Amino acid sequence: MSTIIENEISSKTDAFVSLERKIKTKKARFGVIGLGYVGLPLGLTLCDAGFDVTGIDIDTNRVDAIVAGRSYITDVREKDLQKAISAKKFRATTDLSEIRSLDAVSICVPTPLRKTKDPDMSYVISAADAIARELRSGQLIILESTTYPGTTEELILPTLEAGGLRVGEDFFLAYSPERVDPGNSRFSTRDIPKVVGGTTPRCVELASLLYGSAMKQIVPVSSTRVAEMVKLLENTFRSVNIALANEIALMCSHMKIDVWEVIKGAASKPFGFMPFYPGPGLGGHCIPIDPLYLEWKSKIDGFESRFIGLADKVNSGMPRFVVTRAMELLNERGKAMRGSKVHVLGVTYKKDISDSRESPALEVIKLLGSLGADVSYSDPYVPSLKLEGRSIDAVEPSADVLGSCDLAMITTNHTAFDYPAIIRNSPLVFDTRNATDGMKAQNLVRL
Ligand SMILES: NC(=O)c1ccc[n+]([C@@H]2O[C@H](COP(=O)([O-])OP(=O)(O)OC[C@H]3O[C@@H](n4cnc5c(N)ncnc54)[C@H](O)[C@@H]3O)[C@@H](O)[C@H]2O)c1
């Protein structure tokens, strides 16, 4: 036993000892590549913990906004950003060569899908190439982007080792999935337990030390592959359960049962049930995308998953279902969708945030348009939308706007909307989110 411990101790290289000391004394310079929904809050969390932080992004608009103290992320308060900048604890740049001056760097770049629904790894590859050009002894690199199991080992590691430096000795490599929930004020980056997996034990040790000095709880796991899989299990769990809720909603609609009342009833069970809710479809940069990364990788490894594809099918059918339902509701009132005025309330993928990426409301608007409806929208967080090369401006959901439409469709349940006024002023309301829970009116129909 003592030999093992001695070996472990003697295996601490100079690079390890130096970085460990810098992290412990908060002298380590931390950097984030990609200043988006994940990278900006992460950078500020490390800043709050006492580290000097440099944010690097290729998007000059984002960097300029930060330099000017302007926040473009709902969860990042402008005054916190400005405080960090004026204290010279946080800075932003487009210069990727600054990576060399940093001691620890987290990669927070996008991991979208290609049109073929395969992973688009181009952002991760380009960030890894930029790091490889600047890599020096004593650096810790952490991948945060959500990705398929094996990415850190198969894609990042060979790129970084190509210059001759060795992982676990000269530099350190870890994977730690970001689990932030945009719009959730109860859990910030600091409060959410941080899962960390390293390429070697020394790697996980350093990454845990760094994040442990800024976040409340660290959950070390045995490898980067496990850490990558943890994140995909979490998001697949949501996708599959939302798909089940959506299918139950379709079933209830068919059987004329109120699905919201059913879920509320089931959720009263104090064990063994966790409520998930139906809606007009999935959105955002995570739940509709990440499970498909896992499905792609497992297929390559020779394992055919079934739940992921099925959930994707059910969830991606929801925008069409709610539009068909809207058409039926108009039809029951003697109106055709073609030529009807439809006002869509909420275009972000979930409530109280400004992110409309992959939002099902966009698909709903396109489908309504393709059926000949005259579509307008309101969203306090999205002043204008670009759809199929066309720009649409948001309008206030005033009594006039609502009164002149044939149908008001609630696609995002923003807290800021005045639901009693929406019901009062619109001839017909179709609520796909149960935003009007508990309200009753002749002109109100829920999914
Ligand atoms: N948004 C979420 O709620 C969330 C939650 C958990 C995990 N994630 C994951 O985190 C990752 C980042 O997501 P996001 O929502 O922050 O994305 P984002 O699009 O908001 O931000 C990514 C940023 O990276 C920049 N970028 C792209 N390539 C770059 C490069 N080579 N060098 C420097 N900057 C580069 C972009 O300009 C952009 O500003 C994704 O893998 C996502 O799946 C997102």
Side-chain angles (χ1 to χ4, degrees), residues 82-135:
Q82 288 163 0
K83 201 172 118 200
I85 292 168
S86 56
K88 299 203 178 334
K89 296 297 284 177
F90 189 84
R91 53 189 292 277
T93 175
T94 53
D95 183 1
L96 287 153
S97 71
E98 296 232 2
I99 292 169
R100 198 165 185 81
S101 68
L102 304 170
D103 298 301
V105 180
S106 291
I107 306 172
C108 306
V109 297
T111 43
L113 289 173
R114 295 186 187 285
K115 281 211 169 83
T116 48
K117 292 203 167 185
D118 288 346
D120 175 358
M121 298 306 291
S122 58
Y123 301 93
V124 172
I125 291 171
S126 130
D129 287 343
I131 295 173
R133 285 195 293 276
E134 306 299 335
L135 191 69

Side-chain angles (χ1 to χ4, degrees), residues 45-288:
T45 304
L46 270 288
C47 205
D48 269 355
F51 294 95
D52 277 357
V53 178
T54 301
I56 306 178
D57 203 297
I58 49 173
D59 183 340
T60 45
N61 290 331
R62 286 196 155 175
V63 170
D64 289 349
I66 291 177
V67 170
R70 251 188 358 261
S71 171
Y72 44 84
I73 306 278
T74 328
D75 292 341
V76 172
R77 289 188 306 182
E78 220 142 66
K79 66 173 190 176
D80 295 339
L81 179 65
Q82 288 163 0
K83 201 172 118 200
I85 292 168
S86 56
K88 299 203 178 334
K89 296 297 284 177
F90 189 84
R91 53 189 292 277
T93 175
T94 53
D95 183 1
L96 287 153
S97 71
E98 296 232 2
I99 292 169
R100 198 165 185 81
S101 68
L102 304 170
D103 298 301
V105 180
S106 291
I107 306 172
C108 306
V109 297
T111 43
L113 289 173
R114 295 186 187 285
K115 281 211 169 83
T116 48
K117 292 203 167 185
D118 288 346
D120 175 358
M121 298 306 291
S122 58
Y123 301 93
V124 172
I125 291 171
S126 130
D129 287 343
I131 295 173
R133 285 195 293 276
E134 306 299 335
L135 191 69
R136 58 164 175 82
S137 180
Q139 282 183 314
L140 165 67
I141 312 299
I142 308 173
L143 178 61
E144 291 267 337
S145 302
T146 308
T147 184
Y148 59 82
T151 306
T152 312
E153 257 176 39
E154 296 160 15
L155 209 69
I156 311 275
L157 181 60
T159 308
L160 299 188
E161 281 197 329
L165 295 176
R166 297 270 74 88
V167 74
E169 295 171 19
D170 307 314
F171 74 96
F172 306 90
L173 179 61
Y175 179 79
S176 180
E178 181 51 62
R179 305 159 108 185
V180 71
D181 181 19
N184 186 335
S185 53
R186 249 186 91 201
F187 297 101
S188 66
T189 303
R190 187 176 122 67
D191 304 316
I192 304 167
K194 200 87 179 91
V195 171
V196 181
T199 305
T200 72
R202 290 304 182 206
C203 297
V204 72
E205 204 178 326
L206 281 178
S208 301
L209 184 67
L210 175 71
Y211 281 164
S213 47
M215 290 155 204
K216 281 189 182 158
Q217 191 192 342
I218 301 298
V219 184
V221 294
S222 64
S223 67
T224 53
R225 289 168 78 83
V226 168
E228 287 156 343
M229 191 71 177
V230 164
K231 174 72 186 179
L232 291 183
L233 168 62
E234 290 166 12
N235 286 3
T236 302
F237 173 82
R238 285 191 62 73
S239 165
V240 167
N241 281 286
I242 293 169
L244 177 63
N246 278 332
E247 191 168 88
I248 295 290
L250 302 186
M251 206 184 280
C252 282
S253 167
H254 190 74
M255 296 165 78
K256 309 233 175 309
I257 298 170
D258 180 345
V259 67
W260 306 102
E261 199 184 345
V262 170
I263 296 173
K264 201 182 275 176
S268 65
K269 190 176 178 182
F271 50 87
F273 184 84
M274 184 188 277
F276 284 84
Y277 298 98
L282 288 185
H285 189 9
C286 298
I287 314 294

